[in-house]
Amino acid sequence: NSTSVAEIVTLNQLFLSQSWIPNIIRKRVCTTFVEDSLSNGALCQCGGMRETHGSNATGDYFGAAIVSQWDSSQHSSEYPTDAFGELEFAGAGRRHSHFLRLSCDTPPQIVYSLMTAHWGVPSPNLVVSVVGSGGCEKVKPWVREVLRQGLVKAAQSTGAWIVTGGLREGVGRCVGEAVRDHAAAASCLSQKKVIAVGVAPWGLVHNREQLVNTQGSFPARYYVQNASRDSCCLDNNYQAFLLVDDGSVGRRGGETAFRSMMEDYISHQHSGSIEIPVLCMLISGEAAMLKRVDLSLRKATPWLVLNGSGPAADLICEMLDALSAVPMSCTSPPPEGEGSESPSTELRERTRERVKRHFPAEADREKLVDRVRALSIYQNRDLITVFHGEQDSPDDFDTVLLKALVRASKRVSSDASGYTEELKLAVAWNRVDIANSELFNGDIQWRYEDLEDSMTDALINNKPQFVRLFNENGLNILDYLTYQRLEGLYRSLSNSSLAYTLLQRHLTERQSLARSLPTVPCSPDEPTPLKSPISGPSSAKELSLYEVRRGLNKLLQGDCLYREQRCVHPWASLFIWAVLQNRSEMAVYFWEMAGESVLSALAGCKILRELSKLESETAAKLSLKELAQKFENLANEVFSECYQSSESRSFNLLIRQSLVWGEATCLEMATAADARLFFSHDGLQSLLSQIWWGDMETSTEVWKLILTFFLPPLIYTNLISFREPEEEGKTEQVPHGQDTDSLDGVDATMFSLTDMMDEDAEEYAAVRVNLKGAPPSNPKRPFILLRWREFWFAPVTAFLGNVLMYFLFLSLFAYVLLLDFKPPPPHGPSTLEFVLYFWVFTLVCEEFRQVGRIRMKLYIQDMWNKCDITAISLFALGMCCRMFPWSYEFGRAVMAVDYMVFTLRLIHIFAIHKQLGPKIIIVEKMMKDVFFFLFFLAVWLMAYGVANQALLYSYDPRPGWIFRRVFYRPYLHIFGHIPIHEMDGGIECTNNVTLIEAGAEPCTSTYANWLVVILLVIFLLVTNILLVNLLIAMFSYTFSKVQEHSDTHWKFQRYNLIAEYHSRPCLAPPFIILSHLHLFIKRHIRMIPSVKIKHFVLDIRGRQASRLNTWEAIQKENILSAQNKREREKDSERLKRTSVKSDIAPSLTFVHLFMSSTKCQIHLTASVNSSVAYRYVIHMI
């Protein structure tokens, strides 16, 4: 084991030191001195001096005599490289660049792996190879602007490599300066950086001796001289340098072969799911560049030529323009050499004239006119894209790049499969405009298989516009989204996302469970063993829908049976996936495509608000809250449209159970999401009002209700109006004169409130039948029984009964506490006190019923339930203590405090009132301000109280008095109670320690009275002026802040109160015990299930549910169409204002020029004429 560890450490050290590079990478050295005839024997044709060649190279006179031309492959040999490592440019102050000296025959795969795996250069999405202008040739200003504003910006947005010569000359220097300027202006938060790679001939690099070190340089200091002028020095703005060595010195072109091989190799590699495209960019160029362009075109490499940049580029552009009108007899490039058909004499003469104009100094001009090269460029014209620098904007350069690649692919294949790589590239660049204009313009017939991978890339990389584009152009989401693919989407979550952390937590739980359970069935037919936990932290690649479903509390329906099956609700599943990642635009689009718009928006709001509670970063938390509010607004807008279209259908929409969202209703989801704005909608409040009043008219006065409560026979009079069954049917009519019969011929009544409040299972089944439009199966009840149930089973009646009985309870409690609180047994308690005990017992039974109806966690979350628990607990404690003589007084005190708690419970009862409800919310918010005020007050009380006690009383051993003087008296000072006599010592007292310990009043110390007065002034100044005014200011701010939304908060609380009293029995305590006994018999003896376990639930299935969903989708489309129309109107109005300004601007310019010329003429006249004329000029101006 120790030997293995040592070997691993040694390998790591070798890898970090790069000492393995000379064993793989080679350099070339000239081994045959071939004399240059023009140098009188001093130079070799390789460009090196005779002295630099070894004795073996210069000693072979016979071999050198028969060689007329030096060739790198024959006259040079490979040796281990001696220049590699990191490069530090002296005085540049930049990070180090990587460099490597390598032979021109080095396999490109080794170099590419070295760059990406060891140097850490990110793999490219595109390679732009810039060739052309070099040496002393000047680059035009507009070309510099294209490189700065176009190429570098496009490289940053697409994650491309820019490959140039890497020297401080020509195009290489311009690219380096553009990269430098972009790095200085780009944000430090930019995810992609511009990667510039220099491929230069080793023998041409200035000061290359500074890079030589057989052990590697980490770093090598490189000095650049004459930085303001073009030179063959390396440019410090490049991230990597590949210095290609062919054995020559001072010669250009030695790197061309390796550079071509490198580009060809990269073009066959993959970056993610796409093949890396390579695009050559020609700027200017000499005559030799035409040969390289021709050879690259034969390999189907696309080219981008900058028209007007220089000789070679201009010649190619002119040839394409001129030859496009000449008919071609063949469409494929002929082989080099003699072609099968020669061009016309006229065409050749024109080509000769252009070559002569662009290359006047070229000696071998006929080779340039050769038809092989000319026709090769023309026949491959689809691979060449011309960029008109003086006409096209540099900002659209990335568009030009992609269009060039797309044009090249169109030439290769007319089938849609031939464009998949370009489509993936457009997705990677997020250029939906190019995809629309070039790939989805109707010329290509896209199949489903062609869009699958691109759709996955668009989803993972957050490209919602492409998702929309694919969905509109042949991709069927039902076929696409299987459970296996949905798992893949969840596995692609970022490691830093909150959803990833939550799902990892559930994955860890599943892995711990897997240790005890051998297998977990993946399908009902064949069980599949659960993956064993991996060592170390859990990986996202192991996530399955098991964790997703647990994390979402079963919001995704179905058991996922499993991976190859289609997702039942694809748009809803994608909506959840996007919401969990806080992808706003993507989530909104999926919401638009999903059904049940109101409920889906509320579900997204719920998920986002729960995530915001778990998020620790402020910016992410704010983003989650904003998106949650956006979905709540969408739900509110869609429901508003639905309510305006049909009131009855909108009510059904609120209480309809959803199979997609775990059989939840809109009301339940809105409550869970705390969607207060949604609850404030008039339509929802109208539904609540109908539920609140039951079968009574909502316009019934309260005094009539109270009078009938005390005189029940008035139920059968006309004092209170009840809604008749036929009147309920009339509510189906659509307001505002709209007709919805085209969607649903028979729109069933929302519900029968009488039946809904009935707890008999048989009657509830009748309600289900009524909802389907069938006649009720139960016979109609007698009028006396029906009207009795309609009145007493209404929630408003139950509420009124509870309020009246609660006032009676408080009166009884006060009477017992003040007048009838008997001594402990056997003298007490009294009969009324036993009645009080029984009353509280019925309250306890009701609380237990509420706990059994909902989960304990939800019960505890309610503030008033906590108040009930506190009141009942204090009552039980006081009742127990008052039974014993030794704790009787304590029990009485506890009872007194408990009475206060029971009385404060009235606040919740009055929350239903329209005027008192909002004020109660304001008081609740202000209580939080009071706690902050008490904290500051306690600090000053402690500081002043202790100091005051220490200065006035030198010794006082009584703890009770010390506590009173430290806290109680300073608190009274705030309200003006200041005991001056204690400060001045005018009371009877003693300094005898024995008497003081016996209880006598100690004398105050008069030594520091002046200091006590100063402290008192400071204390009163801070508390009475500073802190009290601070509290008033806090109250004012809270009031103004809450007052704006108090109505919204009150309506939300109103729903909770209505839901509570709708579920309560109609009898109030203490008679509620009868209802409890009735419920116990039904639930536990007769086993009749409860129909009120969920509030306001409507089960709609089949055709009726489909019609309701269709109607809701139509209303959503109306909302989206109106929004799009408003956006277009805004854009058109903005364009109109811009056009008006554009029309006014020339007029203003003309007036300005006219006035300027007039002033100049007058001033000229004034300089020649007399002073009178001068004064006239001043007057005119």
Side-chain angles (χ1 to χ4, degrees), residues 925-935 1031 1034-1035:
K925 299 292 183 180
M926 287 183 174
M927 290 300 296
K928 299 179 181 179
D929 297 335
V930 171
F931 283 109
F932 287 106
F933 169 78
L934 291 178
F935 169 76
L1031 180 63
M1034 293 170 64
F1035 281 169

Side-chain angles (χ1 to χ4, degrees), residues 601-638:
L602 292 174
C605 178
K606 164 65 176 175
I607 296 174
L608 290 165
R609 283 178 176 163
E610 290 298 325
L611 291 176
S612 66
K613 298 176 183 178
L614 302 175
E615 183 60 61
S616 57
E617 297 182 3
T618 304
K621 183 187 292 290
L622 182 61
S623 177
L624 289 169
K625 290 182 179 180
E626 291 177 352
L627 185 55
Q629 188 60 46
K630 181 176 182 179
F631 278 116
E632 183 179 355
N633 295 336
L634 288 174
N636 192 57
E637 292 175 1
V638 175

Side-chain angles (χ1 to χ4, degrees), residues 181-202:
D181 296 341
H182 176 81
S187 170
C188 60
L189 300 178
S190 178
Q191 297 180 353
K192 297 179 181 179
K193 296 182 179 179
V194 178
I195 304 298
V197 180
V199 182
W202 165 261

Side-chain angles (χ1 to χ4, degrees), residues 100-130:
L100 174 67
R101 178 185 181 183
L102 68 158
S103 171
C104 59
D105 296 329
T106 304
Q109 57 267 27
I110 297 178
V111 181
Y112 183 76
S113 300
L114 174 68
M115 296 177 63
T116 55
H118 187 68
W119 287 358
V121 180
S123 300
N125 293 325
L126 168 70
V127 174
V128 180
S129 181
V130 184

Side-chain angles (χ1 to χ4, degrees), residues 586-597:
M586 187 88 75
V588 170
Y589 173 68
F590 291 148
W591 171 81
E592 294 176 2
M593 301 302 298
E596 302 181 359
S597 305

Side-chain angles (χ1 to χ4, degrees), residues 190-249:
S190 178
Q191 297 180 353
K192 297 179 181 179
K193 296 182 179 179
V194 178
I195 304 298
V197 180
V199 182
W202 165 261
L204 194 64
V205 177
H206 184 65
N207 291 337
R208 56 187 176 276
E209 297 82 7
Q210 302 173 6
L211 310 178
V212 175
N213 187 343
T214 57
Q215 301 299 323
S217 302
F218 303 96
R221 291 184 61 84
Y222 186 77
Y223 294 89
V224 180
Q225 299 177 353
N226 298 326
S228 61
R229 298 168 54 188
D230 286 352
S231 63
C232 292
C233 297
L234 298 178
D235 196 309
N236 62 332
N237 296 302
Y238 286 73
Q239 283 74 25
F241 294 95
L242 301 178
L243 307 179
V244 183
D245 189 2
D246 65 343
S248 64
V249 177

Side-chain angles (χ1 to χ4, degrees), residues 591 596-599 601 632-644 650 653 678 681 1111-1117 1119-1120 1123:
W591 171 81
E596 302 181 359
S597 305
V598 177
L599 185 55
E632 183 179 355
N633 295 336
L634 288 174
N636 192 57
E637 292 175 1
V638 175
F639 181 72
S640 297
E641 189 74 14
C642 293
Y643 183 67
Q644 293 177 6
S650 64
L653 197 66
F678 183 76
H681 192 275
W1111 171 76
E1112 182 186 9
I1114 291 175
Q1115 311 311 316
K1116 177 186 65 177
E1117 292 299 328
I1119 288 292
L1120 297 177
Q1123 291 180 352

Side-chain angles (χ1 to χ4, degrees), residues 644-797:
Q644 293 177 6
S645 175
S646 174
E647 181 178 345
S648 59
R649 279 202 183 97
S650 64
F651 289 166
N652 290 340
L653 197 66
L654 291 175
I655 61 177
R656 180 261 322 264
Q657 282 185 322
S658 171
L659 298 178
V660 181
W661 298 98
E663 296 187 353
T665 65
C666 289
L667 289 179
E668 292 174 344
M669 193 66 75
T671 305
D674 196 24
R676 299 175 184 264
L677 178 63
F678 183 76
F679 271 104
S680 65
H681 192 275
D682 293 338
L684 196 150
Q685 292 300 312
S686 177
L687 170 66
L688 295 180
S689 296
Q690 290 190 19
I691 297 174
W692 179 247
W693 285 97
D695 285 310
M696 293 181 287
E697 292 289 347
T698 57
S699 59
T700 304
E701 289 86 352
V702 178
W703 68 268
K704 294 181 180 181
L705 197 65
I706 298 176
L707 182 61
T708 309
F709 187 84
F710 288 103
L711 298 175
L714 294 177
I715 297 174
Y716 305 103
T717 65
N718 295 327
L719 182 65
I720 297 180
S721 301
F722 290 85
R723 287 185 288 127
E724 298 297 332
E726 60 270 17
E727 293 180 357
E728 292 179 3
K730 292 180 181 180
T731 60
E732 305 304 317
Q733 298 177 3
V734 181
H736 311 293
Q738 298 182 12
D739 185 15
T740 58
D741 289 341
S742 59
L743 292 175
D744 191 357
V746 180
D747 195 359
T749 306
M750 172 190 62
F751 49 77
S752 174
L753 293 170
T754 304
D755 293 333
M756 201 170 176
M757 291 177 294
D758 196 347
E759 296 192 3
D760 292 335
E762 298 84 3
E763 295 171 350
Y764 185 74
V767 177
R768 294 289 181 88
V769 176
N770 285 332
L771 289 174
K772 297 179 181 179
S777 59
N778 288 357
K780 189 175 182 180
R781 297 189 184 92
F783 172 77
I784 297 177
L785 181 60
L786 177 63
R787 187 55 54 88
W788 181 270
R789 295 178 63 86
E790 287 177 347
F791 178 79
W792 291 106
F793 280 79
V796 64
T797 309

